[in-house]
Amino acid sequence: MLTFTALGPFQAWADGVPLDLGGQRQRAVLARLLVAGGRAVPVNTLIDELWPGAPPAQALSTIQGYVSRLRRALEPDRAPREEARVLVSAPPGYALRAATEQVDAWRFEALVKSEGDPGGVWAAMDTALGLWRGPALAEFGELSWAATEAGRLEELRLIAVERRAGAGLALGRATSLVADLEAHASAYPLREEAWRLLATALYGLGRQGDALAALRRARSVWRDELGLDLSAGLQRLEADMLAQRLEPLAPAQRLETPAPAQRLETPAPEGPPQAPAETSATTSAVVSGTAPLRVVVADDQALVRAGVRAMLDAEPGVTMAGEAANGEEAIALVAETRPDVVLLDIQMPHLDGLAAARRILSESRPPKVIMMTTFGSDENLYAALRAGVSGFILKTSAPEQFLAAIRAASAGDALIDPTITTRLIAGFAGRVDPGSPPALAGLADSQLDVLKLVARGLTNRQIGQTLSLPEEEVAIMVKSLLEHLGLFDRAQLVMAAYESGFVTPGEKTSFSSL
């Protein structure tokens, strides 16, 4: 089956195998047709939008050549004179013919706009958000049409986050949603719905003081940023809380055990997202409001596994889902137990941790993977970072550091043990990497200060303590750094800081704003 992904790295796939789409501008032709949603795009429009302001003299023949090569890539078995069925001629231009389920962005939009009861909305939004693998159309960000579409899709993503949270509150899942809503409101403080959901969730958990404090934070931000008081809706919510007029939230519902997720037929290191098909509300609701984080531990040393098991047994809200002694066992165990987080030793027999991490992360809806290392100097750690792991931890670290890494990974963040950060990058600093941001131009001094501390492995709280900033403000600044540099997680920020030469191993950190 031919599929297209734009919610992350732009790619076309044939039965899970990536296709060669050619150079950047040729790929942009296909991306522009995808953005059109199946409608025809005139050739003149393609020329004007691919070469803004200065198209070459042979632009028409160049576009025709791009289309011809793209057709061969998308339909390699098509006979020479046979009419194209995917990238079709649609005078006065071209169009992409595909079903909604073949294009992640099209399917995402359909899901976000779907209606239903709270269970159905939860399932639809969960599926929609699972299609994202990074910023949309980021590689074409310098082209206005791509930037506009990326902004539209990002707005839909935020709506999906809020619709999912609203459905979750109706289903009695406030406990598991509060942390995500805190992060959402901090990252997007001008969104009224973010604050409404957060305050409602806190109030429903009996935390009236915290709920009112959240609304006070919203009021302060809006006055500082917009010169406005809270909206009428949030003011009514605040008054209802003070008068205790709000209805209690629904109690948490017992959820049925979900069916095991399907494995990809042909695992690929960088396969397209394979979100599960929409199901009934009962079977799709797989996250309990009180469910603990489930962790798989893979290490060839029994002593290490025993130590991690004892640590997890003593921690509320975290449980051991299983243990493995090598990479092959880890892969099989993850497929069987579907954990939230995998602690994976970088060096193991039969299959090393890097190869195992790549295969685990290529699966449908993979768990978060944290690499464990003894010395923090293995070159494979850098490759693992590129493969998408959610952090590194020294085996000799304190239990608090292990637990912080597990919770950071489960929340979608990445944590690198500060004791290995410089050693991890030391052998690679100064290398030219075409995948890293070419420069850090345009960042304010305050953002550069935050970037230095992120590169040193500090958490948002530690950064806030160092720079005398609220933790919420640090979260917003980290988010702005990711957006500015076209990155999508904290681990990539660390690489960007070292690869650009902004931070070097062993350098004493100084701050421009202090």
Side-chain angles (χ1 to χ4, degrees), residues 42-56 58-61 63:
V43 172
N44 288 339
T45 299
L46 288 173
I47 292 173
D48 290 341
E49 293 187 341
L50 265 63
W51 291 279
Q58 303 300 320
L60 177 58
S61 60
I63 290 287

Side-chain angles (χ1 to χ4, degrees), residues 325-414:
N326 59 61
E328 290 287 1
E329 287 183 10
I331 293 168
L333 185 60
V334 167
E336 177 185 351
T337 61
R338 310 303 296 179
D340 301 297
V341 178
V342 181
L343 290 175
L344 197 61
D345 184 16
I346 194 74
Q347 295 288 351
M348 290 187 292
H350 302 301
L351 189 71
D352 65 36
L354 175 58
R358 283 173 170 161
R359 285 173 56 180
I360 289 170
L361 291 168
S362 73
E363 291 294 336
S364 169
R365 308 296 291 275
K368 303 298 183 180
V369 175
I370 299 170
M371 305 304 297
M372 297 187 295
T373 177
T374 303
F375 303 110
S377 57
D378 193 315
E379 182 167 330
N380 286 337
L381 286 172
Y382 193 81
L385 192 59
R386 288 240 171 262
V389 303
S390 296
F392 309 116
I393 188 77
L394 276 176
K395 294 182 185 180
T396 55
S397 294
E400 294 77 14
Q401 193 73 11
F402 270 90
L403 295 168
I406 290 170
R407 295 194 183 281
S410 68
D413 205 346

Side-chain angles (χ1 to χ4, degrees), residues 223-404:
R223 284 177 174 170
D224 290 345
E225 296 289 332
L226 307 174
L228 299 174
D229 198 355
L230 291 180
S231 67
L234 290 182
Q235 289 187 48
R236 284 194 299 271
L237 179 63
E238 185 178 44
D240 288 342
M241 287 180 177
L242 289 169
Q244 298 186 337
R245 290 193 294 261
L246 292 183
E247 293 287 335
L249 294 175
Q253 299 178 0
R254 184 180 66 83
L255 304 176
E256 295 184 9
T257 302
Q262 293 183 342
R263 295 174 62 90
L264 296 177
E265 291 296 326
T266 307
E270 297 181 351
Q274 302 286 335
E278 296 84 353
T279 60
S280 67
T282 301
T283 57
S284 294
V286 299
V287 182
S288 168
T290 57
L293 291 175
R294 302 172 64 253
V295 181
V296 159
V297 178
D299 194 294
D300 59 324
Q301 299 180 44
L303 186 61
V304 172
R305 299 198 304 272
V308 174
R309 186 190 316 113
M311 175 190 68
L312 297 182
D313 288 345
E315 179 67 12
V318 184
T319 187
M320 187 96 153
E323 58 184 83
N326 59 61
E328 290 287 1
E329 287 183 10
I331 293 168
L333 185 60
V334 167
E336 177 185 351
T337 61
R338 310 303 296 179
D340 301 297
V341 178
V342 181
L343 290 175
L344 197 61
D345 184 16
I346 194 74
Q347 295 288 351
M348 290 187 292
H350 302 301
L351 189 71
D352 65 36
L354 175 58
R358 283 173 170 161
R359 285 173 56 180
I360 289 170
L361 291 168
S362 73
E363 291 294 336
S364 169
R365 308 296 291 275
K368 303 298 183 180
V369 175
I370 299 170
M371 305 304 297
M372 297 187 295
T373 177
T374 303
F375 303 110
S377 57
D378 193 315
E379 182 167 330
N380 286 337
L381 286 172
Y382 193 81
L385 192 59
R386 288 240 171 262
V389 303
S390 296
F392 309 116
I393 188 77
L394 276 176
K395 294 182 185 180
T396 55
S397 294
E400 294 77 14
Q401 193 73 11
F402 270 90
L403 295 168

Side-chain angles (χ1 to χ4, degrees), residues 124-193:
M125 298 307 110
D126 205 41
T127 300
L129 293 169
L131 294 172
W132 282 75
R133 290 204 165 184
L137 300 169
E139 62 197 276
F140 311 112
E142 74 283 359
L143 300 173
S144 60
W145 57 267
T148 299
E149 177 66 5
R152 189 183 73 87
L153 290 169
E154 174 63 11
E155 175 62 23
L156 287 174
R157 188 188 69 81
L158 297 178
I159 291 172
V161 169
E162 292 164 356
R163 291 196 66 196
R164 179 181 181 275
L169 294 182
L171 293 169
R173 299 174 191 170
T175 301
S176 63
L177 289 169
V178 164
D180 289 341
L181 287 171
E182 281 276 11
H184 181 61
S186 296
Y188 303 95
L190 301 184
R191 293 185 70 86
E192 176 180 351
E193 184 67 359

